[in-house]
Amino acid sequence: MFGIFSATSCGDMLETDNDSAVTSPGLGNKTDSVFYTLGIAQAMQQLADPYFFIGEMRGDLVTTTEATNNNLRALANYSATTSNAYDSAYVYYKVINNCNYYLANRDTTLYTGAINVTLEEYAAVAAWRAWAYLQLARTYGGNEKGIPFFTHPLTAISQINEGNFPRKTLSEIVAELAPSLARFSGFAVPTFGNYDADGIEIGKTNWGVSKKIKMELIFIPVDVVLGEMYLEAGDYPNAAWYYCKYLCDNEIISDNLASFKYAFDQSTFGAKAPEDMFTNSFNLFSTIYPTIFSNTASPTDVITYIPMSVSSLRGTTTNIPLAFGYDYYSTDQGSRCPRADAVQIAPSSTYRWLTDSCAYYYYPTDFESGNTTRYPVSVSAAKLGDGRAVYSDGRRTRTDDAILNYDATDTTKVYISKARQANIYLFRNTTIYLHLAEALNRMGYPNLAFAILRNGISTYLERLVPDAATDGSVSTADDNATSTASYKYLTVEDINLLKNQIPFLNATNRNIFDHDKYLIYGIHNHGGGTFNSTGSSMGTGIENAVTKRGSAATAVGSEANLLYLPQPIIGEKLTELAKTFPELAIGTTKQDSINAMEDILCDEYAKEFAFEGVRFYDLQRMARHKNESGIYGGNFGSRWFAKKLEGNNPQVSLLEPKNWYLPFE
């Protein structure tokens, strides 16, 4: 905890002269305090590996290998003790204590003209502190008494040794910090003007590749933290409201991040898709989704990351790429990130089954009357797997551009490329949309939550409410497809929520989400469907995407798709849950549907966020909320969590929530 001055040393990847930060933080002038905030950013680097490995290894999407070190193995099988290298509450308290010092001493009355030059920075530090406390509760929340909590800076060893700190649970932490943080709702993160316009170069790797970072991406927006705090605490209306505010204030639509399937010898599938899509005849053509994890200063979709240094001489390094098979700190002078001999973390059988068994939605090539500018009369589906789990088979020239990459000489090795650039992603725009769906579902709007997966949030949703006068008739107004109104799955109550309580579609915001102006897509389209193709070799059908707009242009969100709708998909999940838990009386009530929709979102999280260090945090939150809902006897969340983690061979009973968390000392 006693890291006030040690954590403010910025002589690392940020290459900042650290004398003023170490000897005089400069919290009483207009500009020098930036050195102190960058010192806190360095403390964030020091918690990156514990945050990531705890979140990934204690989930169900990865498995150990023969090469896995004992620290990671103990995390995976829930036998980790306080001696584990990644069990470190200290790194979070180091961030918290530095934030406390800044917040207690920063002069917030400084102006340049009529502009206060300190409040955005002050708000950003308050957001860091709130996130660090939230993460402590997520990691060490097994004690009913909670974790030590303090908001004043500790500047003497005696203060720490006394240890007279109140303990607070997750809900108590949220109740303590959220109201004061809410004063800064709507504040933008600090920016660095032209200095940071194209990113700041932080050096070259030992193997010769330059790395840039975007300084504003090291901060966590206040409204994002508020949404996360309220979601964790089960205050779903407040969570949804702050997620909405962030997305509206920043004009963030659900964009196209898709990976498409296509045949080498044709751009669209025939009326009957082959079942051998992973043979030589067919492959996956990844367009945008993998670019999220590329070596750029401002990766697609990313809100906040912790960028690690390019070498130990430049600052704080990370073990994360190495665990997935990429030796980021190798001295091998190659054009690509060198691969390691040993891979310590591999995709689990759960992940493979979940992604391989996914339906892929596509437009057949038999367009009506041979008119390729029209939509086909239907959307077809085949169990071809999710596009976000795209493999590179290793048989051709080595590529690491796919998410999962086989070794050409040893097919037992799979290199997972998401973390190979040594950036740890805390939040993406997609995170906010999916967590918003989770909150909306728990508020009692499962179909609206489903809309985020199928269509995205836009004015198009207003067209998905059945009209009593025309329900059941042929509809051709939007996409010229011959289909019935059965695709209209929303209600007036759903739309009213989006116009009033969660105001995406009110008079102020609806222009941001105007379906007739912008291409807006459902999240499931990232890996589950193609565009209506007009013969493009990429199968994207850009012509029709422009004229028909996003959510109607994709096979996932098309009116012609009567397969991917709430009723059949939630029904499938209810059947699956009934088979998994045959002793429970799983019915078809609204509460059953809400629980099933939460599981559908949980599956979407797996496909979207696998190997990003968040899986455990998602699982334990959902398990807690299932317990708190009282459904199926009140301990269903514990049983659900234990079932999810069976493949990890846990060394303790996960039916006891206290065993979900790491020991705290």
Side-chain angles (χ1 to χ4, degrees):
M1 274 191 283
F2 191 58
I4 289 254
F5 295 107
S6 63
T8 57
S9 173
C10 299
D12 63 349
M13 67 169 196
L14 303 173
E15 297 187 296
T16 304
D17 180 358
N18 62 12
D19 288 344
S20 63
V22 172
T23 60
S24 176
L27 298 181
N29 58 56
K30 291 182 180 181
T31 57
D32 286 353
S33 69
V34 69
F35 294 107
Y36 199 96
T37 59
L38 297 183
I40 301 174
Q42 184 190 354
M44 289 286 288
Q45 287 180 307
Q46 293 170 18
L47 63 76
D49 280 21
Y51 161 82
F52 185 97
F53 284 130
I54 290 168
E56 198 62 47
M57 300 308 297
R58 292 165 78 82
D60 59 340
L61 304 180
V62 298
T63 188
T64 56
T65 70
E66 292 182 357
T68 306
N69 69 56
N70 290 333
N71 289 302
L72 296 181
R73 196 178 303 277
L75 288 176
N77 66 23
Y78 283 73
S79 66
T81 67
T82 54
S83 64
N84 190 282
Y86 301 110
D87 183 358
S88 178
Y90 161 81
V91 293
Y92 290 101
Y93 279 114
K94 192 171 185 178
V95 170
I96 289 165
N97 201 30
N98 278 272
C99 290
N100 285 345
Y101 187 89
Y102 176 97
L103 296 172
N105 291 282
R106 180 58 167 138
D107 184 349
T108 59
T109 64
L110 303 176
Y111 284 79
T112 296
I115 300 175
N116 188 301
V117 297
T118 63
L119 284 183
E120 284 187 354
E121 188 181 283
Y122 190 91
V125 173
W128 264 334
R129 181 178 68 178
W131 178 85
Y133 264 126
L134 185 63
Q135 201 56 43
L136 275 171
R138 286 168 166 166
T139 307
Y140 299 99
N143 190 321
E144 293 181 357
K145 296 180 181 179
I147 58 173
F149 181 87
F150 56 95
T151 56
H152 59 279
L154 306 180
T155 58
I157 293 293
S158 59
Q159 291 175 287
I160 300 171
N161 291 337
E162 289 171 3
N164 295 324
F165 310 117
R167 286 180 173 259
K168 292 187 182 293
T169 63
L170 187 152
S171 294
E172 291 169 338
I173 289 170
V174 172
E176 181 77 22
L177 293 180
S180 59
L181 188 62
R183 294 178 300 158
F184 304 109
S185 176
F187 275 53
V189 298
T191 58
F192 295 81
N194 292 333
Y195 176 66
D196 193 30
D198 298 319
I200 300 170
E201 185 166 337
I202 60 171
K204 289 185 177 181
T205 62
N206 295 327
W207 38 281
V209 173
S210 297
K211 181 174 182 176
K212 286 186 175 183
I213 65 170
K214 191 80 170 173
M215 293 298 298
E216 64 189 66
L217 295 184
I218 69 175
F219 299 105
I220 308 172
V222 167
D223 288 314
V224 168
V225 175
L226 285 167
E228 291 293 284
M229 294 176 81
Y230 283 121
L231 180 65
E232 289 285 346
D235 185 343
Y236 307 114
N238 265 326
W241 194 89
Y242 281 108
Y243 289 142
C244 173
K245 181 166 178 56
Y246 174 76
L247 294 168
C248 292
D249 285 357
N250 293 278
E251 300 188 2
I252 297 171
I253 62 174
S254 180
D255 209 345
N256 173 26
L257 297 174
S259 293
F260 305 104
K261 293 180 184 296
Y262 80 112
F264 285 134
D265 57 350
Q266 63 185 63
S267 62
T268 55
F269 301 142
K272 178 176 174 56
E275 298 297 332
D276 59 346
M277 283 293 290
F278 296 108
T279 68
N280 285 334
S281 300
F282 286 83
N283 198 0
L284 291 167
F285 186 87
S286 302
T287 54
I288 303 174
Y289 181 75
T291 66
I292 299 170
F293 315 101
S294 60
N295 182 27
T296 61
S298 185
T300 304
D301 199 48
V302 172
I303 297 172
T304 304
Y305 58 27
I306 304 176
M308 307 304 286
S309 71
V310 293
S311 69
S312 58
L313 295 177
R314 292 279 185 170
T316 306
T317 58
T318 175
N319 291 320
I320 296 171
L322 187 64
F324 287 111
Y326 291 96
D327 190 357
Y328 189 73
Y329 301 107
S330 170
T331 57
D332 182 10
Q333 295 289 321
S335 60
R336 291 182 176 270
C337 181
R339 288 180 175 179
D341 292 332
V343 177
Q344 298 186 62
I345 302 177
S348 69
S349 58
T350 296
Y351 174 79
R352 291 175 183 272
W353 176 85
L354 182 64
T355 55
D356 289 351
S357 63
C358 286
Y360 188 81
Y361 302 94
Y362 65 96
Y363 291 105
T365 55
D366 54 342
F367 295 100
E368 187 178 79
S369 304
N371 183 356
T372 58
T373 64
R374 291 173 62 89
Y375 274 72
V377 296
S378 66
V379 166
S380 297
K383 297 286 186 179
L384 303 178
D386 190 276
R388 287 163 288 194
V390 55
Y391 281 82
S392 166
D393 61 17
R395 285 175 292 184
R396 292 176 288 277
T397 302
R398 174 191 160 183
T399 175
D400 294 297
D401 296 332
I403 300 301
L404 303 169
N405 302 280
Y406 276 121
D407 188 317
T409 60
D410 182 358
T411 56
T412 65
K413 286 185 180 179
V414 177
Y415 296 86
I416 302 173
S417 67
K418 277 191 174 183
R420 69 187 172 101
Q421 305 299 345
N423 291 328
I424 291 81
Y425 305 99
L426 299 185
F427 295 104
R428 300 201 266 120
N429 294 330
T430 303
T431 311
I432 308 309
Y433 270 107
L434 287 179
H435 284 189
L436 169 65
E438 184 180 337
L440 291 173
N441 180 56
R442 279 290 172 187
M443 288 171 64
Y445 296 88
N447 284 11
L448 196 53
F450 191 88
I452 291 176
L453 301 185
R454 176 182 161 94
N455 298 102
I457 292 181
S458 75
T459 55
Y460 180 71
L461 298 184
E462 295 171 334
R463 308 180 197 181
L464 300 182
V465 178
D467 186 323
T470 60
D471 189 22
S473 66
V474 174
S475 171
T476 59
D478 295 326
D479 63 5
N480 294 324
T482 303
S483 64
T484 68
S486 57
Y487 66 86
K488 296 185 176 183
Y489 62 94
L490 295 178
T491 67
V492 172
E493 290 75 20
D494 292 327
I495 301 304
N496 284 341
L497 183 79
L498 295 181
K499 289 183 176 180
N500 300 302
Q501 187 176 349
I502 314 297
F504 284 95
L505 303 183
N506 68 3
T508 302
N509 295 324
R510 63 184 294 110
N511 184 62
I512 301 168
F513 304 96
D514 190 336
H515 168 76
D516 294 320
K517 293 182 179 179
Y518 306 109
L519 298 176
I520 297 174
Y521 306 86
I523 301 298
H524 193 63
N525 188 65
H526 290 187
T530 189
F531 285 109
N532 177 27
S533 177
T534 59
S536 164
S537 62
M538 291 171 55
T540 59
I542 294 300
E543 297 88 345
N544 278 349
V546 171
T547 59
K548 302 303 179 185
R549 320 315 304 171
S551 52
T554 66
V556 167
S558 170
E559 294 176 11
N561 186 357
L562 303 183
L563 303 171
Y564 190 69
L565 286 167
Q567 186 173 357
I569 299 301
I570 291 177
E572 288 176 9
K573 181 57 72 173
L574 286 169
T575 300
E576 178 189 320
L577 288 169
K579 290 181 179 179
T580 304
F581 302 97
E583 70 281 7
L584 300 180
I586 296 178
T588 57
T589 68
K590 186 171 184 178
Q591 289 305 310
D592 290 307
S593 294
I594 289 172
N595 179 68
M597 185 62 218
E598 189 170 66
D599 274 44
I600 292 168
L601 289 171
C602 186
D603 291 347
E604 197 72 30
Y605 289 173
K607 290 172 276 193
E608 182 71 32
F609 302 125
F611 323 126
E612 294 180 46
V614 298
R615 184 59 169 175
F616 164 74
Y617 308 121
D618 287 336
L619 290 179
Q620 62 90 3
R621 180 183 65 254
M622 289 183 165
R624 282 192 296 104
H625 291 168
K626 290 177 187 294
N627 278 345
E628 291 164 5
S629 74
I631 196 169
Y632 310 135
N635 70 337
F636 173 67
S638 300
R639 299 166 69 180
W640 178 87
F641 186 84
K643 193 71 176 177
K644 287 284 187 185
L645 274 300
E646 277 183 340
N648 291 42
N649 189 28
Q651 302 301 294
V652 294
S653 172
L654 297 183
L655 294 174
E656 293 290 338
K658 66 180 182 180
N659 291 330
W660 303 349
Y661 305 93
L662 287 175
F664 181 91
E665 289 185 5

